[in-house]
Amino acid sequence: MSAHSVAADQADISIGSTPCDIGNVPTLLESISSFRGRNDLGTNRDDRLDLLEQARKLVHALETPRELMLKHIGAETASFFSIALGIDVGLFKALVLHQGKPKKVKEIAGIIGFDVDGLSRILRHLAAMGHIENTGPDEYAPNNFSKALTIPVIADGYLFYRETCIPSMLHLHSWLKTKAYQTPTTVIDNPFTFGQRTSMTMFEFMAIEPYRMEHFNHHMGGYRLGRPSWFEPSVYPAQERLLALRDSSNSDAAVLVDIGGNKGHDLERFLSYFPSVAEGENKGKFILQDTAPVLAEAPSDLISLIEKQPHDFFMPQPVQGARAYYLHHILHDWPDAKCEVIVKQIRGSMKKGYSKLLINEHVIPAVGANWEATYLDLYMMVQFGSRERTEEEWKVLLEEKCGMRIVGIWNPGNGVEAVIECEI
């Protein structure tokens, strides 16, 4: 298509300064008003997120394309990098000193060793974006968001993305141009390797720089924060589907094998939620598998019932006939061909009619996808040449390519990963 034809088909310039969906504002206001009087929005996650989504739609309806453009390209990018810089220099820790009382810019600058002029301009923008409070001339105080930036599981997400993920997205357009705009599908020739100028995969790359892995692990903690776990009734009926039908007569049989389970967070939460499974004569085995270096960093006070077992999930699964083999955020790191190897290695150890494969990942719906799944899908594409999958893509991978049978998909929505239950 020529540049002339594109220009001829472009929208009238007036659309740039017209609210994006002003006609829908009354409906959105009515929907939002239905939440008036609710006092449980701080504890009812689904209702809070429903209200938040209506509020986002209202803001979008009122904003003009010009305002959205400036917010995207300037305000939000300036916020992101200013927040990451603030974490580097201890800005948010300085703000919360002395019970978070308001502080002048000069005082804050003295605490963190920063130029007063530059810091004043950074703080002004962060306040304009609502990330801190402007309490007076050249005076600022923290709010709940900026207080949270003193917690590593929140703060280190900014550093992880700045150092390890943003370069991939920054160079996406250049990489795609060299590939005739074909989607990346491999782990070692993609926007990540291009942007970082490396031939290593992301995890290999992080392994040589301990601070990157520390940022990643903290970020994973923040990613999980406040979300229901896979075994809770609102997500997956683990008691009925998994525990009630286990073979408790064989104490040597594994109940749950967490493959690629990092430091054991999921297993610990599972055992804390179902304490009776770890008690009595019929208690079963719970096995945490990951690479030896990762397991070496698992907490020393890990629940004693959890057995640590070094394992490469591309190799044959050593635990035979477990009640369930569990994969959390493993397959989304790999293209289909690699996933096929991982799943088939597990399949070879499953007991037909008894063992289950439980996959805890996003299942993107055909309509109305959640932003927590769609942003992650794009970062999986640029970091690994992989993807978050739709229901149809899961069926193709698991049933057609791996010879499994999907028994059911429990998809709670609101950005929470689904549980896909499979059998041989």
Side-chain angles (χ1 to χ4, degrees), residues 18-324:
T18 303
C20 287
D21 192 11
I22 197 69
N24 200 30
V25 168
T27 301
L28 290 167
L29 286 172
E30 184 176 350
S31 176
I32 289 170
S33 69
S34 69
F35 288 86
R36 185 180 289 118
R38 292 284 301 275
N39 57 13
D40 65 340
L41 292 173
T43 56
N44 189 320
R45 182 179 186 273
D46 286 342
D47 283 357
R48 178 183 64 81
L49 291 179
D50 287 345
L51 174 57
L52 182 59
E53 181 60 23
Q54 295 304 309
R56 284 197 188 99
K57 289 180 178 178
L58 177 61
V59 170
H60 182 78
L62 290 168
E63 286 179 316
T64 67
R66 170 199 170 272
E67 291 160 351
L68 272 169
M69 176 267 293
L70 294 177
K71 184 172 73 173
H72 291 158
I73 68 171
E76 291 178 345
T77 56
S79 290
F80 173 84
F81 288 105
S82 293
I83 289 170
L85 175 62
I87 293 165
D88 284 338
V89 299
L91 168 61
F92 304 105
K93 293 179 179 179
L95 282 171
V96 302
L97 288 175
H98 312 304
Q99 290 76 50
K101 72 175 184 65
K103 299 176 182 64
K104 294 290 187 180
V105 174
K106 188 174 182 179
E107 178 186 357
I108 301 168
I111 294 171
I112 65 175
F114 208 98
D115 174 65
V116 173
D117 176 62
L119 183 61
S120 176
R121 294 155 73 180
I122 289 170
L123 292 171
R124 185 186 302 142
H125 179 62
L126 292 179
M129 296 298 288
H131 302 322
I132 59 175
E133 300 300 321
N134 187 187
T135 53
D138 291 325
E139 183 182 84
Y140 298 90
N143 53 24
N144 280 353
F145 170 69
S146 44
K147 288 176 182 176
L149 291 173
T150 65
I151 306 169
V153 297
I154 299 295
D156 281 4
Y158 289 86
L159 306 185
F160 170 61
Y161 266 75
R162 185 186 64 186
E163 305 295 330
T164 305
C165 302
I166 295 297
S168 311
M169 199 62 81
L170 183 64
H171 292 90
L172 172 62
H173 67 290
S174 297
W175 185 90
L176 285 172
K177 189 174 182 180
T178 68
K179 304 294 183 179
Y181 297 95
Q182 297 300 301
T183 303
T185 58
T186 64
V187 295
I188 55 172
D189 181 11
N190 54 43
F192 170 79
T193 57
F194 185 85
Q196 297 286 4
R197 299 181 180 181
T198 181
S199 59
M200 294 181 282
T201 67
M202 190 190 85
F203 286 112
E204 291 170 339
F205 183 77
M206 290 196 302
I208 63 174
E209 297 281 6
Y211 75 90
R212 293 183 192 272
M213 190 60 75
E214 182 180 36
H215 292 163
F216 171 75
N217 285 330
H218 284 159
H219 174 54
M220 288 296 96
Y223 179 86
R224 291 187 295 264
L225 197 64
R227 300 158 65 89
S229 295
W230 68 272
F231 47 77
E232 295 182 37
S234 63
V235 181
Y236 173 73
Q239 178 64 49
E240 294 80 8
R241 302 289 306 176
L242 178 62
L243 298 178
L245 302 176
R246 73 185 183 96
D247 182 7
S248 58
S249 64
N250 183 1
S251 60
D252 291 330
V255 177
L256 191 61
V257 183
D258 188 354
I259 304 167
N262 198 265
K263 299 179 182 181
H265 306 99
D266 281 333
L267 274 182
E268 286 214 302
R269 282 196 295 270
F270 182 88
L271 288 169
S272 296
Y273 196 85
F274 296 109
S276 62
V277 181
E279 300 169 353
E281 296 179 357
N282 294 326
K283 63 184 180 183
K285 288 184 178 180
F286 294 84
I287 299 175
L288 171 64
Q289 294 181 338
D290 214 306
T291 61
V294 171
L295 293 180
E297 295 183 5
S300 58
D301 60 350
L302 196 68
I303 294 175
S304 60
L305 198 64
I306 298 174
E307 176 185 328
K308 293 186 288 185
Q309 183 181 75
H311 175 59
D312 177 349
F313 48 57
F314 288 111
M315 301 302 290
Q317 170 56 240
V319 180
Q320 301 289 314
R323 176 62 175 142

Side-chain angles (χ1 to χ4, degrees), residues 390-401 406:
T390 64
E391 184 172 339
E392 184 58 34
E393 287 166 343
W394 279 116
K395 287 179 179 178
V396 170
L397 172 62
L398 296 171
E399 296 189 337
E400 296 183 20
K401 295 183 178 181
I406 296 176

